[in-house]
Amino acid sequence: AGRMTDTEAAETLGRLQVLPDLAGLAPAVLVIEAIAEDLAAKRALFQALAGIAPQAVRASNTSSLRISDLAAGLPDPARLIGLHFFNPAPAMKLVELIAPPGAAADLASDLCKAAGKVVVTAPDSPGFIVNRCARPFYGEALALLGEGHEPAAIDAAMLAAGYRLGPFALIDLIGADINLAATRGIHAAMGGHPRYHVFSALADQVAAGALGRKTGHGFVSGTEAAADVKAGDGIADRIEATLVNEALWLAHDSATPPEAIDLAVKLGLNFPRGPFEILAAEGEARIGQRLAMLEAAAPPALKTRYLPPRPLI
């Protein structure tokens, strides 16, 4: 791509070594896996690594699986941690660290910081910080779609509010299939709570093969949306209220500090502000009123979706 000289390229390649099998990892101090998001496959790999490199800190790049589930039954489970990088890893600064304080966490954190990353400690719960807090950004947009709003108008509302991408453009960029898998995974892990409802519009999109940019057609990719489409009134306020609600629940469930949630959300999703920054700017009463109105109007399948963990009004 012309971003480095031939000498820099050669030096970079010189720091990489491809191994024919796992046995070559025996001297490793830290091993980071980034294989398929499959619990059984990851556990089998970590079981093998525990025998090959028992002294190594073993880290998973999982985006949603609990580290405690991956570590269950493994020898020396304290040596297994979560180290979740964001794509594209060379450009995205955030790394979510899922580990208790100790030598393993310190080693991983120091390595990431030396590589120029920003490390945020996340709770060992489904979706950690970013993928959990992102659910309402997509989910509430899908709820609005079901109420008759156009995807382009919803995206335009979020762009007007300062977001770099609207929820449907972001689904198209990531891939509707990837988004659906993540949503289903968190929905199941969180006991089927309506805050993580799997909307049929997303499942239908995947069934139709309209996955977004990679297939040339999605919610907004490959469509003939008018260039002058107007943003829908109240859409950004509604989506942001649900972002705040999810962040409140995460802080309530895990005691994760609000400033850590804001930092992770802004770095991991490129949002212009974090949910607690929204709450401070808007005030608890206004956010609470919006959530109360949404809960009162919610269809049966979404009842309790908009209830906050504590009274806001």
Side-chain angles (χ1 to χ4, degrees):
R3 295 180 183 176
M4 61 175 68
T5 66
D6 290 342
T7 299
E8 290 170 334
E11 289 173 349
T12 298
L13 290 173
R15 291 190 291 268
L16 301 176
Q17 182 181 0
V18 178
L19 301 173
D21 53 47
L22 292 177
L25 295 174
V29 175
L30 172 68
V31 178
I32 306 172
E33 69 79 15
I35 66 170
E37 193 75 345
D38 179 270
L39 178 63
K42 288 182 185 290
R43 290 191 66 190
L45 175 59
F46 284 122
Q47 187 73 48
L49 288 170
I52 291 167
Q55 81 294 338
V57 173
R58 297 174 287 277
S60 175
N61 186 45
T62 179
S63 60
S64 58
L65 298 173
R66 287 189 182 97
I67 302 304
S68 56
D69 291 340
L70 290 172
L74 295 179
D76 202 3
R79 302 192 77 81
L80 179 59
I81 66 172
L83 210 54
H84 179 215
F85 293 79
F86 287 76
N87 284 324
M92 300 294 282
K93 291 287 189 182
L94 179 67
V95 176
E96 289 180 315
L97 172 65
I98 305 93
D106 290 344
L107 173 70
S109 180
D110 289 346
L111 175 70
C112 290
K113 289 175 181 177
K117 300 299 183 183
V118 176
V119 179
V120 174
T121 300
D124 189 16
S125 60
F128 310 131
I129 296 175
V130 174
N131 278 330
R132 175 170 169 176
C133 287
R135 292 352 293 167
F137 191 67
Y138 310 117
E140 205 57 28
L142 289 162
L144 285 157
L145 177 67
E147 295 169 14
H149 295 271
E150 292 296 326
I154 296 169
D155 276 11
M158 300 313 293
L159 292 177
Y163 291 78
R164 294 179 64 182
L165 283 176
F168 290 108
L170 191 51
I171 291 174
D172 285 354
L173 176 64
I174 296 168
D177 52 338
I178 303 300
N179 191 284
L180 177 62
T183 302
R184 282 175 168 166
I186 294 177
H187 180 258
M190 298 299 285
H193 196 284
R195 291 204 314 278
Y196 316 101
H197 181 74
V198 182
F199 287 88
S200 59
L202 181 60
D204 292 346
Q205 199 81 345
V206 174
L211 307 182
R213 291 192 185 184
K214 60 187 175 185
T215 61
H217 187 76
F219 284 107
V220 291
S221 298
T223 65
E224 296 299 325
D228 61 348
V229 63
K230 294 182 179 179
D233 291 338
I235 286 175
D237 288 342
R238 173 171 169 176
I239 291 177
E240 287 196 330
T242 61
L243 289 171
V244 169
N245 193 36
E246 191 59 44
L248 286 169
W249 274 109
L250 175 60
H252 174 271
D253 294 343
S254 67
T256 303
E259 57 271 19
I261 295 173
D262 278 354
L263 178 61
V265 166
K266 288 190 291 184
L267 289 178
L269 296 169
N270 277 324
F271 281 2
R273 49 196 169 270
F276 286 98
E277 291 173 338
I278 296 169
L279 183 62
E282 293 289 320
E284 291 197 356
R286 292 181 68 183
I287 296 293
Q289 289 167 359
R290 289 170 192 162
L291 291 172
M293 291 176 62
L294 289 168
E295 181 62 29
L302 298 183
K303 283 297 181 186
T304 74
R305 174 179 175 85
Y306 304 102
L307 296 179
R310 58 176 176 81
L312 298 179
I313 50 177

